[in-house]
Amino acid sequence: QVQLVESGGGLVQPGGSLRLSCVASGRIFSQYNMEWHRQAPGKERELVASINAIVRADYSDSVRGRFFIRRDNPKNTVYLQMNNLKPEDTAVYYCKARWRENVWWGQGTQVTVSS
């Protein structure tokens, strides 16, 4: 059973930056496909960014150019650097790991963008 722990959320003003971290348990982290999702009240959970085992990164149109996903395999950690934050980015951000048929979710961390 893989456990994921997110951190780094908080309150930030529009235009500001935050870096989210997700630390995973497991002995084969480097083989996992890692993703960041977010869910705002009244909206479906959406994929924000992903990074696979060969370090290919993909982003949703709404965050491309502002958000950057990175993994540090020796630390079993994936990061989401969020720049030029907008109020529309306010959501609970969730870390997700996929390996073979398995899927694991973190508990989420709140990001609020407001003046």
Side-chain angles (χ1 to χ4, degrees), residues 8-75:
L11 175 64
V12 64
Q13 293 185 332
S17 297
L18 285 174
R19 189 182 75 164
L20 306 183
S21 299
C22 172
V23 180
S25 66
R27 299 180 179 181
I28 53 170
F29 174 81
S30 64
Q31 300 181 34
Y32 299 162
N33 189 101
M34 301 299 299
E35 301 174 356
W36 285 99
H37 296 242
R38 67 185 182 187
Q39 187 166 25
K43 299 180 66 177
E44 292 187 355
R45 191 171 298 185
E46 64 171 336
L47 176 64
V48 174
S50 65
I51 186 165
N52 68 12
I54 58 172
V55 204
R56 176 186 176 123
D58 291 294
Y59 303 92
S60 67
D61 290 342
S62 62
V63 309
R64 187 175 294 109
R66 299 188 297 123
F67 290 12
F68 301 92
I69 189 170
R70 178 174 65 86
R71 68 192 302 157
D72 188 340
N73 289 336
K75 295 182 178 180

Side-chain angles (χ1 to χ4, degrees), residues 55-112:
V55 204
R56 176 186 176 123
D58 291 294
Y59 303 92
S60 67
D61 290 342
S62 62
V63 309
R64 187 175 294 109
R66 299 188 297 123
F67 290 12
F68 301 92
I69 189 170
R70 178 174 65 86
R71 68 192 302 157
D72 188 340
N73 289 336
K75 295 182 178 180
N76 273 31
T77 301
V78 63
Y79 304 94
L80 184 67
Q81 177 66 46
M82 304 185 295
N83 301 318
N84 192 24
L85 283 160
K86 304 175 180 179
E88 309 91 88
D89 297 318
T90 296
V92 177
Y93 284 72
Y94 297 91
C95 181
K96 177 184 177 182
R98 291 192 290 111
W99 181 72
R100 295 187 174 182
E101 79 280 8
N102 302 111
V103 177
W104 301 279
W105 289 91
Q107 292 298 115
T109 185
Q110 176 72 47
V111 172
T112 302

